[in-house]
Amino acid sequence: MPKPNSIKAFLQQPISIAPLVFLRVLFGGVMLASIIRFVANGWIESQYIQPDFFFKYYGFEWVTAPGEWGIYALFAFMGGSAIFIMLGFLYRYAALAFFLAFTYVELIDVSNYLNHYYFISIMALLLVFVPANRNFSLDVLINPKSKRSHIPRWIILIFQVQLGIVYFYAGLAKLNYDWLINAEPMRIWLPAKSDMFLIGPLFKELWVAYFFSWAGAIYDLSIVFFLSFSRTRPFAYLSVLFFHLMTAALFQIGMFPYIMILLTLIFFPPAFHERILARVKAIFKINTEEFIQPRLWQISTLKLNILGVLLIGHFAFQLLFPFRFALYPGNLFWTEEGYRFSWRVMLMEKAGTCFFYVTNPETGKSTEVEPNEYLSKNQEKMMATQPDMILQFAHYLKDIYREKGIENPEVRVKSYVRLNGNGSRLFIDPEVNLATIQDGFRHKNWILPFTNPQNFTAQKQ
């Protein structure tokens, strides 16, 4: 194959469709497994049925929990869509349906936010726009004329670039004082795993915490580059296996390690995917007509230009949005302003406790409210360290006490938070009536500074 002489020619260069087909099958399969696991663990009931209150994303307050039967139907719909994606049946509709259903479920409650849920939504959206059903699919079995053997190279690149952003930005986020110099939070987390078979005692050693911290940062920053070159790819993928299986064994991060282990196979050459697909066809005795001449998937220039603009916009957003934290003052890990949707994965150990007080301004009488009367354990844990969730809960209490007859209840909170081994500090200004504060993208000046000496004074009081 001649080498392209321009970026445009490189992006348009025909390559086998096999890596894209392989990605479609793996994505559908691992999503189906994730949904089954979620249902089997009873998480639908604990996360979406039992709570009476849900924390909303700013701007998405209209997303509500659909009730018991509705949420089960939504998960059944997601599972069916995942099966259709895997089989390549009604593929475009299935990919769009999965993206919409999955994203809707994740928008129901902020306390369920995970980086890998965000990643799954993005991957599902990208799959909507690519012809992953044009080979090895039921769609092709139904309509053989739609079969294609090759696609432009840019289709594979968009998934590689998306994975590259996830890894590289996760690495950039680790380049901070606590992670590199203090080995936090590894020096807190690893000793708790000292009972692990064979290697557990090592986790009590401080140098191991430093090794995990530095190795993790180097891995995230470099793995995509090593996966991109044939000479280093086998060793790089071995490190992918080791890294993600080790994190799966040490930390409760769900399906994320297995998703990354499978999806990083997109960096392997087409011949690798073609061999595996050929073996699958042989096992299931699938006879498919192969083309003598490559048949390339193409779209009109207008559609290609529109898709190009959308993809440029998407990746510009992916590159810039994680840096929005620079617009806010203070310690990012403390305020968490600009923290979500920026590929900051397991960077800190943060825990807190909240005491809410509702005051009737007419009588001056205050009532202490226990959050666990209204929130699940997970919701209470997540809220205790995230200011926007504390504000939402304060407004929820305002509405409840209005219904109880207090016209303009005042809601204040005493919140104490520990961050990366530092002592517990007062988190939110206890003098501020949160019932009068509106959420938004502006800096929340009612968050007390992490290093404010008054913080320690208030804590002692």
Side-chain angles (χ1 to χ4, degrees):
M1 183 178 294
K3 289 186 177 180
N5 53 12
S6 68
I7 294 177
K8 182 178 180 181
F10 175 75
L11 295 174
Q12 293 289 358
Q13 189 178 35
I15 64 170
S16 169
I17 197 173
L20 182 63
V21 170
F22 202 67
L23 179 73
R24 184 202 83 216
V25 174
L26 289 179
F27 184 82
V30 76
M31 289 304 100
L32 178 62
S34 299
I35 292 167
I36 293 172
R37 173 176 175 269
F38 201 92
V39 175
N41 282 316
W43 292 336
I44 291 180
E45 185 172 0
S46 63
Q47 294 188 17
Y48 297 108
I49 296 175
Q50 292 178 350
D52 295 320
F53 171 76
F54 296 97
F55 293 95
K56 304 297 183 185
Y57 289 92
Y58 184 70
F60 290 91
E61 293 82 0
W62 52 273
V63 177
T64 59
E68 182 172 353
W69 287 105
I71 194 69
Y72 274 111
L74 201 52
F75 269 82
F77 185 68
M78 273 196 294
S81 301
I83 293 173
F84 280 22
I85 291 172
M86 185 171 56
L87 299 177
F89 179 56
L90 299 175
Y91 166 74
R92 298 271 188 179
Y93 301 107
L96 180 60
F98 182 86
F99 163 71
L100 293 175
F102 188 90
T103 304
Y104 188 92
V105 168
E106 299 318 311
L107 288 174
I108 290 175
D109 193 347
V110 178
S111 57
N112 297 326
Y113 172 80
L114 290 174
N115 279 286
H116 78 265
Y117 290 161
Y118 175 43
F119 173 67
I120 288 169
S121 282
I122 291 173
M123 291 294 285
L125 179 61
L126 292 176
L127 281 169
V128 173
F129 297 101
V130 298
N133 61 329
R134 293 302 188 97
N135 207 314
F136 198 66
S137 70
L138 291 181
D139 284 344
V140 164
L141 191 64
I142 295 169
N143 179 19
K145 291 183 179 178
S146 68
K147 185 176 181 180
R148 295 292 182 271
S149 63
H150 285 68
I151 54 175
R153 182 184 291 276
W154 62 263
I155 292 177
I156 300 300
L157 279 175
I158 61 174
F159 295 101
Q160 293 176 337
V161 170
Q162 185 61 58
L163 278 161
I165 289 173
V166 173
Y167 274 119
F168 192 74
Y169 274 54
L172 283 180
K174 290 181 173 67
L175 303 182
N176 66 77
Y177 191 88
D178 264 3
W179 187 273
L180 297 175
I181 306 302
N182 291 332
E184 294 286 6
M186 287 297 167
R187 65 194 303 171
I188 297 175
W189 291 342
L190 290 181
K193 300 293 180 180
S194 59
D195 60 345
M196 181 176 283
F197 174 69
L198 193 60
I199 61 175
L202 285 174
F203 296 148
K204 294 180 180 177
E205 302 292 334
L206 182 59
W207 68 266
V208 177
Y210 277 95
F211 174 78
F212 271 66
S213 298
W214 281 77
I218 293 170
Y219 169 85
D220 282 338
L221 289 169
S222 63
I223 189 61
V224 167
F225 298 101
F226 290 122
L227 283 170
S228 300
F229 298 100
S230 58
R231 288 189 176 182
T232 54
R233 187 175 299 119
F235 304 103
Y237 195 70
L238 285 176
S239 70
V240 169
L241 290 173
F242 176 80
F243 178 84
H244 286 298
L245 290 177
M246 180 60 77
T247 56
L250 289 174
F251 311 116
Q252 294 181 349
I253 47 178
M255 294 292 289
F256 181 69
Y258 310 106
I259 292 171
M260 299 306 278
I261 285 173
L262 293 174
L263 298 192
T264 47
L265 291 171
I266 193 72
F267 287 94
F268 279 64
F272 168 82
H273 303 89
E274 288 171 347
R275 283 196 298 271
I276 294 179
L277 291 177
R279 289 177 185 175
V280 173
K281 290 177 183 178
I283 292 171
F284 291 98
K285 298 180 179 178
I286 301 173
N287 294 318
T288 57
E289 179 188 359
E290 299 301 333
F291 300 115
I292 298 175
Q293 295 293 330
R295 185 176 292 180
L296 178 65
W297 177 83
Q298 292 177 304
I299 56 174
S300 68
T301 302
L302 177 61
K303 289 182 178 177
L304 184 61
N305 289 339
I306 293 173
L307 188 53
V309 170
L310 292 175
L311 288 172
I312 289 172
H314 166 75
F315 284 113
F317 178 83
Q318 289 293 308
L319 291 172
L320 296 176
F321 197 60
F323 288 107
R324 71 192 185 283
F325 76 91
L327 301 175
Y328 297 102
N331 183 322
L332 170 63
F333 292 174
W334 182 251
T335 67
E336 298 203 31
E337 292 181 297
Y339 192 88
R340 301 188 193 106
F341 307 106
S342 57
W343 311 120
R344 301 179 186 281
V345 184
M346 299 193 69
L347 287 176
M348 59 181 176
E349 171 63 27
K350 194 176 182 185
T353 305
C354 288
F355 303 93
F356 284 85
Y357 300 91
V358 179
T359 303
N360 184 339
E362 294 182 358
T363 64
K365 182 180 178 182
S366 292
T367 302
E368 182 176 341
V369 179
E370 295 287 345
N372 60 18
E373 293 180 16
Y374 303 95
L375 304 176
S376 68
K377 286 185 178 179
N378 182 59
Q379 287 178 316
E380 186 180 3
K381 176 184 174 185
M382 294 294 109
M383 178 201 66
T385 60
Q386 301 183 54
D388 58 339
M389 297 174 70
I390 289 175
L391 181 63
Q392 283 191 43
F393 187 63
H395 280 250
Y396 179 61
L397 292 178
K398 179 183 71 174
D399 294 339
I400 288 177
Y401 278 80
R402 269 183 175 168
E403 292 177 359
K404 291 183 177 181
I406 301 177
E407 186 174 354
N408 292 304
E410 297 174 356
V411 184
R412 294 178 174 81
V413 64
K414 281 190 177 179
S415 171
Y416 298 91
V417 170
R418 299 189 311 274
L419 174 62
N420 282 348
N422 291 288
S424 180
R425 305 177 185 199
L426 201 56
F427 188 39
I428 304 297
D429 188 342
E431 301 301 323
V432 172
N433 175 13
L434 295 177
T436 64
I437 303 295
Q438 297 301 316
D439 200 3
F441 293 118
R442 289 186 298 180
H443 169 56
K444 297 173 175 57
N445 56 13
W446 35 273
I447 305 172
L448 293 175
F450 182 60
T451 56
N452 189 339
Q454 293 178 352
N455 239 350
F456 298 101
T457 303
Q459 178 191 348
K460 291 174 182 177
Q461 293 173 345

